[in-house]
Amino acid sequence: MGAKKKTTAATTKAKPAAEKVAMSAAAVAVQPVRVQYAGTHRMGSVQSMTLDEAWEKLTPGFRDVFRLTFQGQEDKMKFPYMDYYTIVYNFCTSVTKENGSNYGVGSGDFAAMSSSTLSPDGPPAKLSGRIAQFVRQHLTDVFQADMQSRCGNDLLTQYCRKWENFRFSAKVVHGFCIYLNEHFLRRKSEFREQEIYPVYGVCLKEWRDGGVAAVQDQVLRAVADVINADRDGYPTSSLTVHTVVGYLVDLGLSLNFSAQGGTPSSHSAKKKEENPNQGLQVYQKYLEAPFLADTRVYYDNESRVFLANNSVANYVVKVQSRLKEEEDRCMKYLHASTCNKLIKTVEDVMITQQMVRLRAEFMIYLAGEKVEDLKAMYALISRVPQCMDELYNAVQTHIRQKGLEALAKNPTAMTEDPRLYLDAILEVYDQCDPLITESFRGEKEFRTAFDKGFHEFVNDNAITQLAKTSKKSSEQFARYSDVMLKKGAKNLSELDLENTLTRFMIAFKYIDDKDVFQRYYQQCLCRRLISSLSASDDAEASMITKLKAVAGWEYVLKLQRMFQDITLSTEMNNSFKSHDPSRRNDWKFEFHVQVLASGAWPLNPGSMGLQPPVELERPLTVFNEFYTNKFSGRKLTWVYPNSRCEIATNCYKVKHFFMASATQAAIILQFNDRDIITYGEIRDAVSGNMSPPDESLFKQILVLLLKSHLLMINDENEKVDEKDITSNDLEIKLNLNFKPKTVRVNLNQQIRAEQKQNEDTANKGIEDDRTATIQAAIVRTMKMRKEMRHQALIGETLDQLSRLFKPNVAAVKKNIETLIEKEYIKRSEEERDLYTYVA
């Protein structure tokens, strides 16, 4: 029963197997050839057969297939195709019986196969090995011998023809062994999870090793000769090279697909859907890699020869042309995946390896600021990103050096006149900016290099070195803005003034100590607003808007408050004038008060303690009462050093008007009653009790009046200074022959002591503000983070403060300790570098 059942299974499966053989045979005939089949076959009659017996019967058929296709005589093929299929079938079924398995033909019971059947040394594997050995020997004896005598285009043409013939033979042989492929080799691969090729794949592997590797050097030389001839300008045909490339790629794809158990027919349909970059290992190993090496040698020789006989400028043009040609050439001859590698190879040889010469020429162009030459050089070198850092550094150094040279021409004059200083900086900007925007297309890295170079020379130059402080640059910026925004500066129109401020902001962003600028700008703005010296309210507002855009709203908070105070003071004065007019009837002059917030204005009442003139006592008293009644709880502090008076004269033929400070007015008004007054009397009338520093300041103020010749000691033409005021009994006279050139005379000139006092106040204010800013940044960071390590806290604090100034690490550490003492933060007992925020 069992034997009969087995026979029945074999018989019932025989017809589908035969149909499958017929379909495979039809699929093999992919070329218009005629193959005649002969012989009969009965699937039900199985003959036992050993490996040697099977191979002896198969060898003639294999020999005929490869011989005829090699000779191009496929149409003369006449052999018993089904007989060869039957031989393979009988051998495979004999193997199954000999190993004692119940594996029925086509039953699908793969697990029934014994391990010896599927082992690498099993009979099916040995048959596959015999086929491989046969193909290998055929390629050695016939193909390789034929190729040895060929070269150039003839070799490539014959190579393509032999590949087509061989592939056809492989498909025919594969058809003989369909049963071996389907029931042993493919299932063996699935079972053992290893790469097992069907017969078609076995043939392709042998072609790869014997048909590609063996003649690799010849094929490469032929391909390289064709492409190099094209490079040298000779006419060539790309067809044969492109065909060879296509065949190598197709071989790789076929090997990949065969390793997965695919058949030749199914591969032909599927390979069109494959990723074009898949299966390139054969092409890349045997053609692409050695071709790229040959390309490297070709362009290395060309670069050396060309540079020896031509300029670098011409070389740049040559390289650009070559790169474009190689892009086109790759698409013409090679696989698309080679294009990037080919271009990278050419770039490496012609750019990277020649960077010493290119960089030297780049420096010459940069020094001469040759925009077009730099543009061409940049377009070339930018193709190799790893070479760009040297160019960035070169641009940064060039900008810094150019700026330093411009500011070193006349540092003394630039220190005295901030307009010369800013004009020199902006001139450097105007000269160098086109290099970035035109030559380097505004690339971010070049703009960064430009900014770094500009930043370096703006904050450290001949002017800052002369002043021995980097803060001098910020001070000069503030003084420049004061000159531009003050009346009578250049009589600029509103549009010109706006353009000037816009250009000023270009340079402003490069200064480090923006807090220093803020302090000096605040002082200058204070003088302009108090003395009504602003050229334009719109320009002042525009300047604050620009500063806000660069430095933030906190930066301009006090400046905006100053403008608000001026507006409120105007309204308050109008209210004061309408309040109890009867008390103002005995005033013979205009009285105007500016009430300013002490926290927003950089004002110092001074220590001299001025005694106001009698004429001002009543107005001051009345305004004090008015303000106290209007704002309870507020206290006014009179800032006499910043007060000013306009005094009209009645003692000269021509009526003059003196613009004087409050102290100068107190001195001059004493001469209403007498023409000669001693120094001691004047001093006591102005301030009853003066310290030595205050008296020195008072003498300087008095000397200004003596130098103006309004007052004199002996003669109006004598030269005097504070050393000439030696005693309290020294008589000071009113010069009744005073003849100024203008009707309005400005006596209110700033003196050295006031300048020094203002600078000291500014510097102290800067340091105090920096301390407060550092502590605020630390607290703000700790409040957000809750817990931070020492280095992390310092790093984040420095990052926050960088927009205002560059604090040193020691200052940050000192303020951390201060905040620990104030119990804003605390240090961990277990980890001394860990800080915790104290809520």
Side-chain angles (χ1 to χ4, degrees), residues 392-411:
Y392 302 146
N393 295 334
V395 169
Q396 180 178 340
T397 302
H398 173 75
I399 300 298
R400 182 182 68 248
Q401 193 60 35
K402 189 175 182 67
L404 292 175
E405 291 173 359
L407 297 180
K409 291 180 180 178
N410 196 348

Side-chain angles (χ1 to χ4, degrees), residues 634-814:
R634 295 187 184 181
K635 180 184 177 182
L636 288 176
T637 300
W638 297 99
V639 187
Y640 293 116
N642 294 91
S643 301
R644 59 190 177 90
C645 302
E646 184 176 310
I647 303 172
T649 64
N650 297 312
C651 57
Y652 303 111
K653 293 181 180 180
V654 178
K655 189 171 185 175
H656 295 285
F657 298 90
F658 298 150
M659 311 303 297
S661 66
T663 304
Q664 289 174 329
I667 295 172
I668 295 171
L669 290 176
Q670 294 183 50
F671 289 89
N672 272 335
D673 301 324
R674 293 182 291 172
D675 295 339
I676 302 175
I677 309 175
T678 64
Y679 166 74
E681 291 174 329
I682 294 174
R683 182 197 61 197
D684 293 341
V686 171
S687 181
N689 185 17
M690 287 187 186
S691 63
D694 290 337
E695 185 166 0
S696 175
L697 175 61
F698 176 75
K699 285 182 180 180
Q700 292 184 43
I701 296 173
L702 181 59
V703 166
L704 279 178
L705 296 176
L706 292 171
K707 288 182 176 181
S708 69
H709 307 302
L710 174 61
L711 302 179
M712 61 183 182
I713 297 177
N714 296 313
D715 182 80
E716 65 174 325
N717 295 322
E718 64 181 333
K719 296 181 179 181
V720 295
D721 58 28
E722 56 186 290
K723 294 179 181 178
D724 296 323
I725 304 175
T726 56
S727 68
N728 294 334
D729 297 329
L730 180 67
E731 292 183 342
I732 308 296
K733 303 173 184 178
L734 177 66
N735 183 9
L736 297 176
N737 296 319
F738 182 60
K739 296 179 180 179
K741 296 180 180 180
T742 58
V743 175
R744 301 179 67 84
V745 181
N746 183 17
L747 302 174
N748 189 15
Q749 302 294 328
Q750 196 171 30
I751 59 177
R752 293 190 307 274
E754 287 181 335
Q755 289 176 343
K756 182 66 168 61
Q757 186 179 26
N758 289 339
E759 290 178 2
D760 292 342
T761 301
N763 290 331
K764 185 178 184 305
I766 290 168
E767 294 304 321
D768 292 344
D769 289 348
R770 285 190 173 183
T771 298
T773 303
I774 292 173
Q775 292 183 5
I778 295 171
V779 172
R780 184 165 53 245
T781 301
M782 289 301 301
K783 186 175 182 180
M784 180 175 61
R785 305 289 187 186
K786 304 302 180 186
E787 223 177 51
M788 284 194 79
R789 296 285 179 183
H790 177 75
Q791 291 299 331
L793 177 58
I794 289 178
E796 189 157 342
T797 302
L798 293 175
D799 185 60
Q800 285 189 36
L801 298 174
S802 61
R803 66 182 182 85
L804 278 179
F805 60 94
K806 285 188 175 180
N808 54 50
V809 176
V812 177
K813 290 180 178 179
K814 180 180 178 181

Side-chain angles (χ1 to χ4, degrees), residues 17 53 69 124 138-139 206 285 304 306 311 316 337 772 775 804:
E53 292 173 343
T69 54
H138 168 76
L139 290 173
E206 294 305 321
K285 179 179 179 180
R304 287 187 285 102
F306 191 90
S311 67
V316 170
S337 64
Q775 292 183 5
L804 278 179

Side-chain angles (χ1 to χ4, degrees), residues 582-601:
S582 60
R583 303 183 65 180
R584 298 168 49 88
N585 292 335
D586 55 341
W587 299 355
K588 298 179 180 179
F589 52 85
E590 186 72 25
F591 181 72
H592 183 84
V593 179
Q594 292 175 325
V595 182
L596 312 174
S598 58
W601 293 74

Side-chain angles (χ1 to χ4, degrees), residues 411-457:
T412 303
M414 292 182 184
T415 301
E416 295 173 355
D417 188 351
R419 288 175 295 184
L420 297 177
Y421 181 67
L422 264 294
D423 288 346
I425 291 175
L426 291 172
E427 183 178 357
V428 174
Y429 184 91
D430 293 339
Q431 292 174 355
C432 297
D433 187 63
L435 294 178
I436 308 302
T437 56
E438 296 178 25
S439 297
F440 307 128
R441 304 173 189 172
E443 185 187 325
K444 180 181 177 182
E445 286 76 10
F446 276 110
R447 177 59 65 182
T448 300
F450 176 91
D451 291 343
K452 287 181 178 178
F454 218 85
H455 173 270
E456 289 172 1
F457 86 79

